[in-house]
Amino acid sequence: MGLALAGCSSESKPEDAPSAATQAIEVQGALVRAEQLSLPVRASGTVAAMQTSNVTALVEGPVDRVFVRVGDRVSKGQPLLRIRQADYQRRASEAEAAVRLAEAEVVQTERAYQRVRELKDRGFAAAARLDEVEAARDVARARRDQARAALSTARQALADTVLRAPYDGVVTQRMVDEGMFLNSRFSMGGQSAALQLQELRVVAAIVAVPEARVADLRKGQPARLFITGQPEPLPSEVFIINDFIDPKARTVEVRLPVRNPGYTINSGVSVVAEIITDPVNAIIVPRRALRGDGANLHLFMLAGDTVRRRAVKTADVDLDRVRILEGVAAGETVVLDPPTTLADGAKVRVRATDALASPAAGSAPGAR
């Protein structure tokens, strides 16, 4: 019986079974490689018109007629409003009469000069008399020129009673109505601006780019504009990079134009610009390889049959991938989907190793 008990005792010894503490954990690894990555600059802002003008008539007076309403599309040279013309028509008529009178005086003095000169040549008139009529003729000519200039001014003032569109655009504000006194001079007695006009054939996305990304920008870079109300992003390019950095927001203003032939884009709507930058050499790993959060992000890297915990700094690429800024080099092997029980220095058994060279490579292990 003693021998039997001894035999039973030796068969139940656990020395031949592997220890739970030293049992290798099965993991999946992926070989890290560098790839060319374009990191677009995303910035939000507002759409602005190519031009915005508060226009008014060049002469003052009561508004006789307003030809447009807010929202009307106008062409260059189209009448927008008219100042009462009666006074300006009278001044033009007076100026025309003054020109006719001055021209008649010129004719009269020319004839007098010719007669006196003929008499002077025959010895019947003194030289002083010839000088006198010659001076009268020159004065009459000067008065005629003065009258013509006054007529031109009066006619221009009459034409300026009609305010015309300076360019093709849209009426966005109307500040006056019929009967109001429009004053082209800035004073307390009357209205100055009459209408607001915006040129919308081309609009500009004005966005604020973080100071840290300004070095990645250059003129002519392609971009896409995601504009509120537009079903699809619109192509554009970097046109202006402001040299001024906002000291509070630490941003730089960037302008990107976009054609608007149908006036479907309104000024003032919000916009997000995605600027395509030059590609850089980057280390990309799947987001599912990360553990931790905030400032404590880390990966597990394979080192033979063990793993080492590695703190890393990252930047987002998309929903599935991150860029490693610090902590991992190309050629190393990272653990994908590390179990929560995995710790630094743990023994592991690698189930499979794939290459991380593209988004497809990063997602393939998860598909198995």
Side-chain angles (χ1 to χ4, degrees):
M1 185 179 296
L3 292 173
L5 291 174
C8 292
S9 176
S10 69
E11 289 176 0
S12 62
K13 285 180 64 176
E15 293 176 359
D16 296 335
S19 172
T22 60
Q23 185 176 4
I25 301 174
E26 188 178 77
V27 296
Q28 183 179 4
L31 185 64
V32 177
R33 293 182 181 176
E35 64 176 277
Q36 291 293 304
L37 177 69
S38 178
L39 300 173
V41 176
R42 293 181 64 89
S44 60
T46 305
V47 172
M50 182 177 180
Q51 292 188 75
T52 299
S53 304
N54 291 331
V55 294
T56 187
L58 298 179
V59 296
E60 59 186 27
V63 176
D64 181 52
R65 179 97 180 264
V66 180
F67 300 106
V68 294
R69 296 174 295 181
V70 172
D72 286 353
R73 300 179 183 181
V74 298
S75 302
K76 182 178 180 179
Q78 179 178 331
L80 303 178
L81 65 79
R82 183 179 66 204
I83 300 295
R84 189 176 65 189
Q85 296 180 324
D87 292 341
Y88 295 96
Q89 288 174 337
R90 187 191 72 251
R91 294 171 190 171
S93 298
E94 291 174 350
E96 289 173 357
V99 168
R100 291 195 295 270
L101 178 60
E103 289 175 344
E105 290 178 350
V106 168
V107 171
Q108 183 179 8
T109 55
E110 290 277 5
R111 291 173 179 173
Y113 173 76
Q114 292 295 334
R115 287 195 300 268
V116 173
R117 191 176 67 175
E118 291 175 359
L119 292 174
K120 169 73 171 50
D121 293 341
R122 291 185 291 175
F124 296 106
R129 175 58 180 163
L130 181 61
D131 293 341
E132 181 180 344
V133 295
E134 184 178 9
R137 182 201 61 182
D138 293 342
V139 169
R141 287 178 176 176
R143 287 175 178 170
R144 179 196 59 191
D145 295 341
Q146 186 179 41
R148 287 176 176 174
L151 175 60
S152 178
T153 300
R155 286 175 174 171
Q156 184 62 56
L158 179 59
D160 288 342
T161 57
V162 178
L163 171 61
R164 299 182 182 276
Y167 47 75
D168 296 346
V170 177
V171 178
T172 52
Q173 286 189 47
R174 172 172 163 172
M175 297 84 149
V176 298
D177 292 307
E178 285 85 354
M180 292 183 64
F181 188 88
L182 189 61
N183 190 349
S184 59
R185 296 170 295 180
F186 291 97
S187 69
M188 300 298 293
Q191 178 71 28
S192 177
L195 300 166
Q196 186 182 82
L197 196 66
Q198 289 188 344
E199 184 176 359
L200 297 176
R201 292 181 300 105
V202 175
V203 294
I206 304 177
V207 298
V209 173
E211 178 185 6
R213 296 302 307 273
V214 173
D216 298 330
L217 300 182
R218 56 179 173 75
K219 290 184 179 180
Q221 278 178 318
R224 297 191 301 167
L225 302 180
F226 298 85
I227 300 175
T228 301
Q230 298 300 308
E232 299 291 337
L234 300 175
S236 183
E237 66 178 31
V238 175
F239 187 69
I240 294 176
I241 303 173
N242 199 332
D243 292 328
F244 174 75
I245 298 178
D246 189 317
K248 294 182 179 179
R250 309 311 304 177
T251 57
V252 172
E253 181 185 284
V254 176
R255 300 193 176 212
L256 307 97
V258 60
R259 294 190 180 279
N260 187 26
Y263 293 178
T264 57
I265 305 173
N266 298 321
S267 62
V269 300
S270 60
V271 58
V272 175
E274 184 179 83
I275 303 170
I276 310 303
T277 59
D278 297 332
V280 296
N281 211 30
I283 302 296
I284 308 297
V285 300
R287 193 179 293 273
R288 60 196 180 98
L290 287 174
R291 286 295 180 263
D293 56 10
N296 299 314
L297 290 175
H298 61 273
L299 300 171
F300 285 99
M301 310 302 297
L302 287 174
D305 60 351
T306 62
V307 293
R308 291 299 178 187
R309 173 173 167 154
R310 187 86 57 82
V312 293
K313 293 183 179 180
T314 66
D316 290 337
V317 174
D318 52 36
L319 293 177
D320 300 321
R321 302 180 300 157
V322 295
R323 179 188 180 189
I324 303 299
L325 303 178
E326 184 179 312
V328 177
E332 295 187 288
T333 303
V334 64
V335 175
L336 299 179
D337 299 314
T340 56
T341 57
L342 195 63
D344 184 50
K347 295 291 184 178
V348 295
R349 183 176 67 258
V350 181
R351 181 171 70 250
T353 301
D354 295 317
L356 299 180
S358 65
S363 60
R368 284 194 295 269

